[in-house]
Amino acid sequence: MELTAEQAWDECLDVIRDNVSVQSYRTWFEPLKPASLEEKDNGLSLTVQLPSRFYFEWLEEHYFSLLRSTVTRVLGPNGKLYYDVTIEKEDAETGNSGTSMHLPARKPANEPPGRALWSDARPAPAERTASHGPAADHGISNPFVIPGIRKVQVESRLNPNYTFDRFIEGDCNRLARSAALAISQNPGGTSFNPFLLYGGVGLGKTHLIQAIGNYVKANNPGGSVLYVSSEQFTNEFVRAIQHNKVSDFSLMYRQIDLLIIDDVQFFSGKEKTQEEFFHIFNALHQNGKQIVLSADRAPRDIKGVEERLLSRFHWGLSADVQSPEFETRMAILHRKASEDGIDIGEDILEFVAHNITSNIRELEGALIRLLAHGTLYNRDVDLNLAREVLKDLVSESRTPVTIDQIQRVVCQYFNVSEDKVRAKTRKREVVQARQVAMYFAKELTHSSLKTIGLHFGGRDHSTVIHACQSIRNQMETDKAFRQVIEEIAHTVELRTR
Ligand code: ADP
Ligand code: MG
């Protein structure tokens, strides 16, 4: 009977399972899917599908010999393993239009080191790694530093508490953390450049990207590391323009070896800042300097940021952090309690972990609040106190609503398609749905008028103001309409609970 790809891969998995930890097995091998099995060059070639490029890097770096011996065992001495990597989005800049790459597993020893196999998917490796050397070399080959001029010392602006040691690993952040660690150990030298970490608020993005900074700083004393929020970057750029110091600004950034920019979604709608960042990005990337970014959503969902910049975000690796699962929440609470030297019952921690589910910042906040109340009123921290103190937090811990969710609910209510509220249509029912959705976006999210406008097909902020005003007026004069709005508000609330 002929062997199928599934059977062959199952057999491989049996071997692998015996050779790696359960956790590694789950993280690195379970997500792979067998794609095909073919006769080639007197042997069988098995192709497996990888969820992202990151898996390729990781498997090659950590499991190369295991995979090789496994494949030989299952497919025979001429057996080969191929990887299929699906790329999320077309990258116009690099001309990579394929949705899938077929990569032979790297041959040992005689294959040149480095990441030549990636050359068709990203800018030429030579270009990327040109000046990256060991720690002491950091910045020396930077062409923007005029020889003889001393490198400016930059304050890294890192919070020293945000370290890997203090970052609890869980299913929700495993990939992101592994990538962050790999980058820290070899900044600019992995193919994860830029590294974009994305996910909702309070899930550890700032902590993790700063952990990279702290690690690199500790291990590369000669290198310069800079952490800035995109708001700081923008403000400083504006100030540089006002004081005629744009070239100083630009020169300073080009000297950084590891540039970390937090919350890049705030670049939305700020064209000038984006342009400046674009040039800095290119200069750093070309010199093999590491760039680390965070955003509150996936790059494809970031509105109001130029396509050429978004496409660069795809050059390296995007990884997400998700809401923590129960075990991780417990581990974080345990860690926090022990760090602060607090003795607190397991049942209390479980109560907190069960009730505050979406966000680590709130989880920490809940614990602190609980302890503060206990101390302040000199009461034992028991379940009663926990229930009392966390009553409002428990109901607050819903994930914040997004403009997209609002559009979905409103469009369903009025039975118009979501595309239409983002398009130019002036049909009455569409206009009404659009105005209602804009009103909720203003009331329920913290987005600026400009951002809201962008989510509705790039409309002006004055259109948003007008929409909100018109909904308020109608609510005042028309009771039935007010009920409609209340009903929608209720649905939005249910959806995001
Ligand atoms: P974000 O930037 O995603 O909004 P932060 O990095 O500011 O989130 O995290 C919020 C708080 O939760 C911080 O105090 C951070 O130290 C803590 N935190 C987040 N993730 C973890 C984790 N995995 N382990 C320990 N603490 C965490
Ligand atoms: Mg943050």
Side-chain angles (χ1 to χ4, degrees):
M1 197 184 78
E2 261 195 29
L3 195 63
T4 64
E6 283 75 19
Q7 288 162 342
W9 182 237
D10 274 347
E11 283 186 35
C12 290
L13 286 180
D14 284 340
V15 179
I16 292 166
R17 204 177 292 120
D18 290 339
N19 286 284
V20 300
S21 71
V22 177
Q23 205 163 65
S24 307
Y25 179 79
R26 282 211 199 123
T27 313
W28 302 110
F29 298 98
E30 248 176 29
L32 314 191
K33 300 271 171 283
S36 65
L37 185 70
E38 290 161 323
E39 267 300 326
K40 240 190 227 172
D41 309 330
N42 300 325
L44 287 171
S45 296
L46 173 66
T47 303
V48 288
Q49 187 113 38
L50 312 188
S52 70
R53 297 171 185 177
F54 181 42
Y55 276 78
F56 168 74
E57 290 285 331
W58 198 269
L59 292 172
E60 286 293 286
E61 203 153 323
H62 296 87
Y63 298 109
F64 177 77
S65 32
L66 171 64
L67 281 168
R68 197 160 70 116
S69 60
T70 305
V71 166
T72 314
R73 200 157 129 191
V74 174
L75 302 179
N78 292 331
K80 284 202 184 66
L81 182 66
Y82 286 84
Y83 300 134
D84 215 358
V85 184
T86 305
I87 296 175
E88 263 188 10
K89 206 173 161 194
E90 183 167 332
D91 188 334
E93 291 283 332
T94 55
N96 170 27
S97 59
T99 50
S100 152
M101 264 190 303
H102 206 57
L103 305 162
R106 192 156 59 203
K107 284 191 234 89
N110 58 356
E111 191 79 19
R115 288 166 173 82
L117 287 173
W118 291 108
S119 56
D120 59 339
R122 54 188 59 248
E127 195 186 69
R128 294 185 302 117
T129 50
S131 69
H132 192 269
D137 265 10
H138 264 248
I140 288 175
S141 52
N142 188 334
F144 296 96
V145 183
I146 302 146
I149 294 191
R150 215 158 46 89
K151 228 178 126 168
V152 198
Q153 279 296 317
V154 272
E155 177 74 46
S156 67
R157 309 187 201 174
L158 291 162
N159 176 341
N161 292 325
Y162 287 151
T163 57
F164 281 108
D165 284 352
R166 293 182 175 208
F167 190 83
I168 305 275
E169 180 173 357
D171 287 343
C172 56
N173 59 35
R174 184 161 293 119
L175 265 176
R177 186 187 163 278
S178 304
L181 200 56
I183 289 163
S184 307
Q185 288 158 353
N186 191 6
T190 67
S191 54
F192 316 147
N193 196 15
F195 174 50
L196 174 73
L197 182 64
Y198 66 91
V201 286
L203 298 183
K205 299 183 300 297
T206 298
H207 187 139
L208 198 52
I209 58 176
Q210 291 214 25
I212 300 178
N214 280 312
Y215 188 107
V216 171
K217 205 173 129 191
N219 292 287
N220 304 269
S224 48
V225 175
L226 179 62
Y227 165 88
V228 281
S229 68
S230 55
E231 268 172 317
Q232 276 171 318
F233 182 93
T234 307
N235 292 342
E236 284 166 21
F237 177 58
V238 170
R239 222 170 300 140
I241 295 179
Q242 285 165 351
H243 295 94
N244 238 340
K245 292 225 154 77
V246 173
S247 60
D248 290 357
F249 176 89
S250 166
L251 192 67
M252 192 282 277
Y253 272 92
R254 282 161 206 240
Q255 291 187 45
I256 305 297
D257 299 305
L258 165 60
L259 177 62
I260 307 172
I261 302 201
D262 210 350
D263 289 317
V264 292
Q265 74 278 358
F266 282 121
F267 281 150
S268 164
K270 306 188 173 91
E271 293 88 7
K272 274 287 216 201
T273 311
Q274 283 178 37
E275 192 181 336
E276 183 61 33
F277 176 56
F278 177 76
H279 293 303
I280 291 170
F281 182 105
N282 288 344
L284 293 179
H285 197 270
Q286 265 177 23
N287 286 292
K289 304 306 169 74
Q290 181 71 46
I291 300 157
V292 172
L293 309 167
S294 86
D296 70 350
R297 65 202 77 174
R300 62 174 171 277
D301 298 327
I302 301 178
K303 305 263 156 64
V305 170
E306 272 186 83
E307 195 48 45
R308 59 178 187 169
L309 202 49
L310 288 180
S311 89
R312 270 158 177 75
F313 294 169
H314 282 285
W315 278 2
L317 172 74
S318 321
D320 66 336
V321 276
Q322 310 238 340
S323 291
E325 51 293 336
F326 178 75
E327 293 74 14
T328 313
R329 298 201 295 275
M330 279 302 280
I332 289 170
L333 289 172
H334 271 292
R335 164 67 67 89
K336 187 88 196 130
S338 82
E339 261 174 18
D340 297 352
I342 305 151
D343 195 16
I344 190 164
E346 193 69 11
D347 53 336
I348 316 283
L349 294 185
E350 277 186 21
F351 175 81
V352 177
H354 270 302
N355 284 289
I356 311 236
T357 55
S358 62
N359 177 323
I360 298 171
R361 186 174 298 140
E362 283 186 358
L363 199 62
E364 289 187 349
L367 190 61
I368 293 167
R369 192 149 144 185
L370 200 52
L371 296 168
H373 267 76
T375 324
L376 208 62
Y377 301 111
N378 202 13
R379 278 178 60 178
D380 285 343
V381 179
D382 58 11
L383 268 182
N384 281 337
L385 182 71
R387 279 202 199 93
E388 221 175 285
V389 171
L390 303 183
K391 212 168 36 200
D392 53 333
L393 250 196
V394 167
S395 60
E396 272 170 18
S397 70
R398 279 178 273 129
T399 38
V401 59
T402 64
I403 299 179
D404 293 342
Q405 283 168 327
I406 291 172
Q407 288 178 338
R408 200 163 312 136
V409 171
V410 172
C411 288
Q412 268 169 14
Y413 189 94
F414 288 106
N415 199 20
V416 301
S417 91
E418 284 174 53
D419 298 341
K420 292 224 174 83
V421 296
R422 296 185 200 117
K424 292 263 175 272
T425 318
R426 287 183 183 280
K427 280 213 185 100
R428 233 190 109 235
E429 67 273 18
V430 178
V431 173
Q432 178 163 55
R434 186 184 295 134
Q435 290 193 334
V436 170
M438 283 179 171
Y439 166 79
F440 278 115
K442 182 77 195 100
E443 293 290 311
L444 303 179
T445 74
H446 295 296
S447 309
S448 68
L449 294 167
K450 184 153 186 176
T451 306
I452 295 173
L454 284 169
H455 275 80
F456 288 85
R459 288 183 158 77
D460 204 31
H461 76 281
S462 59
T463 314
V464 183
I465 296 179
H466 173 73
C468 295
Q469 200 50 53
S470 129
I471 297 297
R472 279 190 207 107
N473 292 345
Q474 286 180 67
M475 275 164 72
E476 264 172 33
T477 52
D478 181 347
K479 197 161 154 236
F481 185 78
R482 193 162 67 237
Q483 270 167 2
V484 165
I485 295 294
E486 277 162 12
E487 209 173 304
I488 296 173
H490 187 61
T491 316
V492 171
E493 195 193 8
L494 286 179
R495 291 288 169 83
T496 53
R497 203 186 280 281

